[in-house]
Amino acid sequence: MESLSLTEPDRALLQALDIDGRASFARLGEVLGVSAHTVARRYQRLRAAGITVAGSLEPRQVGRVTWLARIHTVPEAAGAVAAALARRDDTAWIRLASGGTEIICAVHPRDESHRDELLLGKLPRTPQVASMSAHYVLRKFTTAQTPKAWLRALSEDQVVALRPAAEESGEGAHVLSGADEAMLDVLERDGRATFPELAAAAGTSESAVRRRIGQLRGAGALTFAPTVDPAWLGFAVSAHLWLNVAPAELARAGAAIAAHPEVPFAAATTGPSNLIATIQCADTDSLYRYLTEEIAVLPGVHQADTAPVVRTVKRG
C-alpha cells in the first residue's frame, strides 16, 4: 500500500465516518458543506489507497470473549505465523513487535471449541512458536466513543449533527444467527456495503438486514470506523504497553489511560501485566515523553513493558 497525503478535507471525512460510518454521501456532504459527489469522490480516493470503513463486532455484547495473545517465534518465522493467523476469521488485529520476533494479536473465538483449537492446539504445536501466553480481557476501558487524537477536523456542531439517531433497542442482539455471521463477514471487509449486497450474503431481505443492523448498533454490538495507517495521520510510532498495576488502583489507572489521546485501546486483562494499551505517538521523543510524563504518574503502576510495533499485519 502506498503512502497517501491526507488533506484537511480528507481528515474531516475520516472523522465524519468515524462518527457514522454508514451515513449517506448526501448526509456527509450536508454536514461537511460540500456536495454528495465531492464526498463520494474523496471516499473513492481514500479507498483506492487502502482506507475503508470496517464494521466491528463488540464480542462482549454477543456473549463472546476477547483473548490477547503474545507469541514469540524463532527468528524469521514471525511473518509466516502472523500471515496464517490473519487468514482466520476469529483474529481481530495482528501486529509484529519487538524487532519482529513477537506477534501480538486479539482473538475473538466463537465458542470454547474454537478457543481451544487455536490457543491449546494449533499454536502450541507450531514448531516455529518458541513461547506464547494468552490473556483474557476482563474490562475494556476505551470505547467506540473514546476521542481519538487525530480526529480534530470538525466543529462540535458538526460532530453533534453527524451522530446517528438512536437505533432500535437492541433486543435479541446478543444471539447471532448464521445470517448474522454472513452479514458481519461482509461488513468486516466493507462497512459501507449496500443493503442489497448484505441481503444477498445473508440470504434474507433488505428490510431484515436494515432492521438487524439497527438492533446490533442499538445494543452497542456493532460499530463502524475507518481503517487507516496511523503514520498517515502523523503518528509514526506505535507500541504496546503492558503494565503491572496494583489491583486496588486498576480501575482508576484504566480510566485515566483510556482518556489519553495517544491511546486508542486500553483494557484490563488476566496475567502478571493486568493493564494493556496500544500507544500511538508522533515520534520516539513523543513516546519517551508519554512514558515518563503520563505513564509515570498513573496510580499504582509497579512495572511497564513497552513493545514497539514493527508492522501491522491485520487491522481491526
Side-chain angles (χ1 to χ4, degrees), residues 124-177:
R125 291 198 299 265
T126 300
Q128 296 92 339
V129 173
S131 66
M132 66 164 286
S133 61
H135 309 264
Y136 186 92
V137 173
L138 300 172
R139 175 67 57 85
K140 187 177 174 184
F141 294 109
T142 47
T143 69
Q145 288 72 44
T146 300
K148 298 180 177 65
W150 55 271
L151 298 181
R152 298 171 178 168
L154 300 181
S155 69
E156 183 58 31
D157 287 344
Q158 289 174 309
V159 170
V160 171
L162 280 164
R163 285 181 184 145
E167 301 282 359
E168 296 187 36
S169 67
E171 182 179 353
H174 63 285
V175 179
L176 295 182
S177 66

Side-chain angles (χ1 to χ4, degrees), residues 80-99:
V81 175
L85 286 168
R87 290 191 289 269
R88 297 179 60 96
D89 61 8
D90 56 358
T91 53
W93 49 259
I94 302 169
R95 300 179 184 120
L96 297 183
S98 306

Side-chain angles (χ1 to χ4, degrees), residues 243-254 272-275 298-303:
L243 300 173
N244 183 303
V245 181
E249 298 287 0
L250 184 57
R252 195 153 69 101
S273 299
N274 55 356
L275 177 59
L298 284 179
V301 175
H302 297 314
Q303 185 176 351

